[in-house]
């Protein structure tokens, strides 16, 4: 499969036209048209991730987060320049599917809701409709088959996400029946979640003041835990949709946070 065909397939699964106006999706660094045998998928275009992908001989690298939201020149000796140099020297192509993927409710973006067994799963914040009539939007909301205690639910979320530390804020319900979530930094959707009857809202990167102002229970499981798994699953989908046209490998990223527990020292996440 040629480079342009791979890009077209990615755009079919996560069309850039549905990305947020402020975002930078699609081709980040263009490479020459060539026969593509290997496509690497990762959460972030970090130097060590890109290096590993290129050592595997990937001709195309797809990440969730863009190399840069706004186009810029490599004016400093930083990781941005390092990644650009690696890609250009390898004649590879770097693409990103950020909010273009985030709005694809029917795909891997809602993986946690499905793993938790939520019923009646639907878009939390609809923003568009695709050519097939499917509603696109950010986050999801649904109902557990049976109500469970808040403490049991938090343990289940921790186990499902593999998140060793969860930050809890807001008023805690006695039981949980309706759950909303949004991967990444989703605090802007908290009020919409609780207005739709959510007992708990799950997201990452909750800041101090939104935590103070929350009218319901919020579970901050971190940006990394939700989206790393999302991209791991997207790699599987991409390979399936390629119909044998190329091999896909997911490259594990790095959670930038480590956690300290008194008496146990620093625990790597």
């Amino acid at each position: 499969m040629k480079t342009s065909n791979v890009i077209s397939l990615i755009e079919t699964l996560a069309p850039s036209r549905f990305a947020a106006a402020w975002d930078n999706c699609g081709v980040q660094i263009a490479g020459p048209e060539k026969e593509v045998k290997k496509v690497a998928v990762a959460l972030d275009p970090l130097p060590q991730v890109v290096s590993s992908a290129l050592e595997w001989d990937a001709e195309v690298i797809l990440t969730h987060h863009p190399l840069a939201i706004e186009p810029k020149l490599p004016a400093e000796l930083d990781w941005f320049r390092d990644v650009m140099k690696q890609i250009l020297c390898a004649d590879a192509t770097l693409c990103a599917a950020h909010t273009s993927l985030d709005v694809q409710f029917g795909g891997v973006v809602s993986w946690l809701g499905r793993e938790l067994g939520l019923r009646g799963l639907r878009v939390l914040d609809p923003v568009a409709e695709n050519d097939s009539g499917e509603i696109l939007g950010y986050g999801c909301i649904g109902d557990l088959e049976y109500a469970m205690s808040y403490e049991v639910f938090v343990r289940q979320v921790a186990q499902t996400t593999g998140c060793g530390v969860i930050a809890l804020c807001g008023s805690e319900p006695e039981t949980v029946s309706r759950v909303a979530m949004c991967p990444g930094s989703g605090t802007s959707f908290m009020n919409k979640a609780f207005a739709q009857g959510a007992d708990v809202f799950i997201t990452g990167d909750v800041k101090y003041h939104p935590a103070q102002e929350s009218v319901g229970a919020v579970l901050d499981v971190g940006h990394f835990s939700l989206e790393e798994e999302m991209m791991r699953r997207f790699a599987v989908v991409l390979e399936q949709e390629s119909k044998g046209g190329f091999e896909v490998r997911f490259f594990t990223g790095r959670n930038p946070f480590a956690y300290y527990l008194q008496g146990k020292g620093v625990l790597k996440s």
Side-chain angles (χ1 to χ4, degrees), residues 2-243:
K2 298 292 186 181
T3 303
S4 57
N5 300 128
V6 176
I7 295 171
S8 294
L9 177 57
I10 294 170
E11 284 292 318
T12 298
L13 297 173
S16 293
R17 70 180 186 275
F18 293 123
W22 53 263
D23 199 10
N24 178 24
C25 292
V27 175
Q28 306 288 291
I29 300 177
E33 182 81 344
K34 62 171 69 173
E35 192 69 29
V36 175
K37 297 181 179 179
K38 295 181 178 182
V39 176
V41 176
L43 176 59
D44 298 297
L46 297 173
Q48 60 269 33
V49 172
V50 171
S51 176
S52 297
L54 294 177
E55 286 177 5
W56 179 61
D57 294 328
E59 295 92 358
V60 176
I61 300 175
L62 171 66
T63 61
H64 182 50
H65 295 131
L67 181 60
I69 295 297
E70 296 181 359
K72 63 178 183 177
L73 294 173
E76 299 180 8
L77 297 176
D78 55 9
W79 72 269
F80 173 81
R81 180 184 179 278
D82 187 3
V83 169
M84 180 173 285
K85 179 182 177 181
Q86 289 188 65
I87 297 292
L88 290 173
C89 288
D91 264 349
T93 298
L94 177 66
C95 300
H98 192 210
T99 52
S100 59
L101 178 60
D102 287 338
V103 298
Q104 301 299 320
F105 160 76
V108 295
V109 68
S110 302
W111 74 269
L112 181 56
R114 295 183 175 87
E115 288 295 326
L116 292 174
L118 298 185
R119 297 187 169 192
L121 202 61
R122 59 194 183 276
V123 177
L124 178 61
D125 182 48
V127 296
E129 185 176 304
N130 65 17
D131 297 337
S132 300
E134 297 173 313
I135 302 299
L136 306 181
Y138 298 101
C140 63
I141 185 169
D143 299 300
L144 295 169
E145 183 176 3
Y146 303 104
M148 64 177 66
S149 73
Y150 179 67
E151 182 178 345
V152 170
F153 179 75
V154 172
R155 286 203 300 266
Q156 183 174 339
V157 170
Q159 181 178 11
T160 305
T161 60
C163 186
V165 177
I166 297 179
L168 311 176
C169 59
S171 57
E172 300 179 2
E174 290 186 7
T175 60
V176 177
S177 295
R178 180 164 294 176
V179 180
M181 62 196 66
C182 184
S185 304
T187 50
S188 59
F189 301 109
M190 288 195 307
N191 290 340
K192 290 187 178 182
F194 297 127
Q196 294 180 43
D199 300 304
V200 171
F201 179 65
I202 305 170
T203 190
D205 300 350
V206 179
K207 294 184 178 180
Y208 180 78
H209 290 293
Q212 281 186 322
E213 298 163 3
S214 177
V215 297
V218 179
L219 276 58
D220 184 344
V221 299
H223 204 119
F224 182 83
S225 67
L226 291 175
E227 294 193 330
E228 175 85 347
E229 180 61 23
M230 178 182 76
M231 293 307 291
R232 188 190 311 277
R233 295 178 182 228
F234 189 65
V236 175
V237 173
L238 182 60
E239 185 159 47
Q240 290 173 341
E241 292 297 322
S242 76
K243 300 184 185 336

